[in-house]
Amino acid sequence: QVQLVESGGGLVQPGGSLRLSCAASGINFSMYTMGWYRQAPGKQRELVARITRTGTTNYADSVKGRFTISRDNAKNTVYLGMNSLKSEDTAVYFCNADREILYRPAYWGQGTQVTVSS
């Protein structure tokens, strides 16, 4: 079975840093575009960052310059490094795996809570 398990979330002060991890199993990891999404209360889920199987990255404007997405194919793991965290970054962060083939479903993790507060 396909499983994406996020870890690393928690409570952090404004200006602090955090690194999220997403461990994947049940997929040929290196063939998937991996992404991080987040959803704040009352808001729609939004793309935070993504990294393709060739290493191309994209970031939401709100996190550009502060967040870094990376992947380790040997560990079947994607990471999201988060620096200079703001209260606006508070959300549940979800890991996503997308084969990017039409009509092929993407997969989602269960989410991990990130709370930025003093």
Side-chain angles (χ1 to χ4, degrees):
Q1 289 192 26
V2 176
Q3 193 169 359
L4 304 177
V5 181
E6 301 98 333
S7 62
L11 176 64
V12 65
Q13 296 183 40
S17 299
L18 210 59
R19 189 173 83 151
L20 306 182
S21 299
C22 171
S25 59
I27 61 170
N28 189 354
F29 182 81
S30 65
M31 297 297 293
Y32 280 75
T33 290
M34 303 299 299
W36 288 97
Y37 293 71
R38 68 187 181 188
Q39 188 166 25
K43 302 291 185 66
Q44 290 189 305
R45 188 172 299 186
E46 64 174 350
L47 175 68
V48 176
R50 67 197 294 270
I51 182 167
T52 71
R53 63 200 204 193
T54 60
T56 300
T57 59
N58 293 97
Y59 298 92
D61 287 341
S62 59
V63 308
K64 200 167 298 181
R66 300 188 297 120
F67 289 13
T68 302
I69 189 169
S70 61
R71 65 191 296 161
D72 186 339
N73 288 346
K75 295 182 178 180
N76 286 1
T77 300
V78 63
Y79 304 94
L80 184 67
M82 302 183 292
N83 297 318
S84 302
L85 282 161
K86 307 173 181 179
S87 60
E88 303 98 287
D89 297 317
T90 296
V92 177
Y93 284 71
F94 297 90
C95 181
N96 172 271
D98 190 356
R99 186 63 178 82
E100 296 189 321
I101 295 176
L102 198 62
Y103 304 120
R104 189 76 63 89
Y107 300 100
W108 294 90
Q110 82 291 341
T112 185
Q113 177 71 47
V114 172
T115 302
V116 184
S117 177
S118 58

